[in-house]
C-alpha cells in the first residue's frame, strides 16, 4: 500500500487551519476522567481527519486519542497499518490562548513507524519524516547539528510533573544544565529539539499518540533518545513511556550519565 506524504499534508494542514485557528482561545474546556483537558476543537479535528484518511486509505485503521482504551488496544494489536492521531496536542495551551500546540499523526504497523507528521498551525511549521525522505521542516531537510556544548551549557526541555519525586528534586537542587523550559506539547517538544531550539529533553510519562510522531521525526533528523529504563522509547502499545533525549552523542552520553540511565543494546 502506498502512502503519499503530499496527500497526508493536504489533509492535515487545512484541518488544523480551519478547525483549530478559529477556535483558538475561544472554546470551553472539559475535564476527562484522567484529568486532562478536552475541547470541541479536539473532536472536530479528529472527526475531520479520520474521515479523510479513511476516504483515501480505507484499508488502514484509525486510532485516536479520544477513543476508549479497549478500542485503542484492539487496533494496535490487529497487525494492520494504523493511523495514530493526536488531534490537538497541547489542549490546555490552546484553550488558554498560549500559542504552543499542534496536530500529530503517525502511521504504525507491526511495531514499526512508517511515517510521522507534526503540524503547528500558529507558526505554519510542518514537520514530517519517512524512511525514504528523512526528516523535513516545511519541505526542507531537517538535521540536528553537533552543538559542541557541555551539559552545563545546554538548554533543557523538561516536564517535571510526571517525574519521580527524587529525580525532580535532584534536578532542582543540583541543576546540571544552563537553563530549562517546559512548553506543554510533547509532539512539538520533539520537533523543537530536532530543530535545535533546545538541546536535551526529559519527560516522565507520555502516551503513544503524544510522542510517537515527534520522536520518529527527531530520530529521522539524527537525534538520540531512550527511556529512563535505557530502552527504545517506541513500543506499539498503550503503556506510557518515559523519554530522555539529546541532539548529539556527546550531550546524550553526558545527560544519560547524569541521570543514571543504563542503555540497553
Amino acid at each position: 500500500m502506498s502512502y503519499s506524504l503530499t496527500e497526508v499534508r493536504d489533509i492535515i494542514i487545512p484541518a488544523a487551519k480551519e478547525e483549530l485557528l478559529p477556535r483558538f482561545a475561544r472554546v470551553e474546556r472539559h475535564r476527562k476522567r484522567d484529568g486532562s483537558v478536552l475541547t470541541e476543537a479536539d473532536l472536530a479535528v479528529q472527526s475531520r481527519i479520520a474521515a479523510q484518511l479513511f476516504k483515501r486509505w480505507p484499508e488502514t485503521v484509525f486510532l485516536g486519542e479520544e477513543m476508549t482504551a479497549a478500542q485503542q488496544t484492539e487496533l494496535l494489536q490487529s497487525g494492520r497499518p494504523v493511523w495514530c492521531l493526536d488531534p490537538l496536542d497541547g489542549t490546555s495551551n490552546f484553550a488558554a490562548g498560549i500559542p504552543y500546540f499542534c496536530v500529530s499523526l503517525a502511521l504504525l504497523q507491526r511495531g514499526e513507524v512508517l511515517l510521522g507528521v507534526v503540524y503547528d498551525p500558529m507558526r505554519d511549521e510542518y514537520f514530517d519524516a519517512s524512511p525514504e525522505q528523512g526528516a523535513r521542516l516545511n519541505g526542507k531537510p531537517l538535521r540536528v547539528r553537533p552543538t559542541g556544548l557541555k551539559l552545563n551549557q545546554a538548554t533543557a526541555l523538561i516536564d517535571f510533573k510526571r517525574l519521580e519525586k527524587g529525580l525532580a528534586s535532584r534536578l532542582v537542587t543540583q541543576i546540571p544544565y544552563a537553563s530549562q523550559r517546559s512548553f506543554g506539547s510533547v509532539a512539538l517538544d520533539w520537533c523543537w529539539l530536532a530543530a535545535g531550539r533546545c538541546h536535551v529533553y526529559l519527560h516522565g510519562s507520555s502516551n503513544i499518540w503524544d510522542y510517537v510522531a515527534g520522536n520518529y521525526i527527531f530520530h529521522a533528523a539524527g537525534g538520540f533518545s531512550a527511556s529512563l529504563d535505557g530502552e527504545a522509547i517506541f513500543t506499539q502499545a498503550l503503556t506510557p513511556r518515559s523519554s530522555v533525549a539529546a541532539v548529539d552523542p556527546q550531550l546524550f552520553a553526558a545527560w544519560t550519565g547524569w541521570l543514571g540511565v543504563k542503555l540497553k543494546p
Side-chain angles (χ1 to χ4, degrees):
M1 192 180 305
S2 174
Y3 297 92
S4 164
L5 285 170
T6 299
E7 290 180 89
V8 173
R9 181 195 64 203
D10 291 345
I11 291 171
I12 298 298
I13 292 179
K17 286 184 174 180
E18 295 169 18
E19 303 294 346
L20 291 182
L21 294 185
R23 294 180 169 96
F24 177 53
R26 298 177 182 177
V27 294
E28 292 186 7
R29 42 182 135 182
H30 306 281
R31 292 284 173 181
K32 296 188 285 186
R33 289 185 179 181
D34 64 1
S36 59
V37 175
L38 175 68
T39 72
E40 67 176 29
D42 299 73
L43 301 176
V45 174
Q46 176 165 301
S47 177
R48 175 168 170 168
I49 291 177
Q52 293 183 354
L53 290 174
F54 178 76
K55 182 178 180 180
R56 175 59 186 86
W57 295 283
E59 303 87 355
T60 306
V61 295
F62 174 84
L63 183 153
E65 180 184 0
E66 309 311 330
M67 301 171 72
T68 68
Q71 291 172 320
Q72 292 166 341
T73 299
E74 181 180 357
L75 292 173
L76 289 173
Q77 295 177 351
S78 69
R80 298 173 64 185
V82 181
W83 294 111
C84 183
L85 174 73
D86 189 339
L88 177 51
D89 185 37
T91 304
S92 296
N93 285 346
F94 177 83
I98 299 171
Y100 192 82
F101 57 87
C102 65
V103 178
S104 174
L105 178 70
L107 180 63
L108 318 176
Q109 186 173 24
R110 294 188 176 91
E112 294 187 8
V113 185
L114 304 182
L115 64 84
V117 168
V118 173
Y119 179 56
D120 173 359
M122 294 300 293
R123 296 170 185 79
D124 195 26
E125 289 190 333
Y126 188 84
F127 300 86
D128 63 356
S130 71
E132 296 78 20
Q133 67 162 41
R136 302 185 302 184
L137 169 54
N138 289 344
K140 297 181 180 180
L142 179 65
R143 295 292 298 175
V144 296
R145 297 179 180 179
T147 64
L149 299 175
K150 296 180 180 179
L151 182 58
N152 63 7
Q153 299 172 312
T155 299
L157 195 52
I158 297 181
D159 184 300
F160 277 91
K161 182 174 67 173
R162 298 169 181 83
L163 293 177
E164 184 270 326
K165 290 182 179 179
L167 175 56
S169 177
R170 183 173 166 232
L171 285 164
V172 171
T173 58
Q174 304 174 39
I175 302 172
Y177 35 71
S179 62
Q180 177 265 329
R181 310 283 188 271
S182 181
F183 297 131
S185 166
V186 171
L188 207 48
D189 286 349
W190 282 111
C191 293
W192 277 37
L193 198 65
R197 297 167 189 172
C198 295
H199 309 120
V200 298
Y201 180 67
L202 180 62
H203 198 292
S205 177
S206 57
N207 292 308
I208 188 170
W209 48 82
D210 296 318
Y211 75 77
V212 64
N215 177 250
Y216 179 70
I217 291 167
F218 177 67
H219 268 277
F224 299 82
S225 70
S227 72
L228 281 166
D229 296 322
E231 301 171 339
I233 295 173
F234 171 65
T235 178
Q236 193 162 317
L238 290 185
T239 308
R241 303 291 284 168
S242 59
S243 304
V244 178
V247 297
D248 63 41
Q250 290 76 26
L251 274 177
F252 188 60
W255 187 218
T256 53
W258 192 92
L259 293 167
V261 175
K262 297 181 179 179
L263 299 175
K264 298 178 181 178

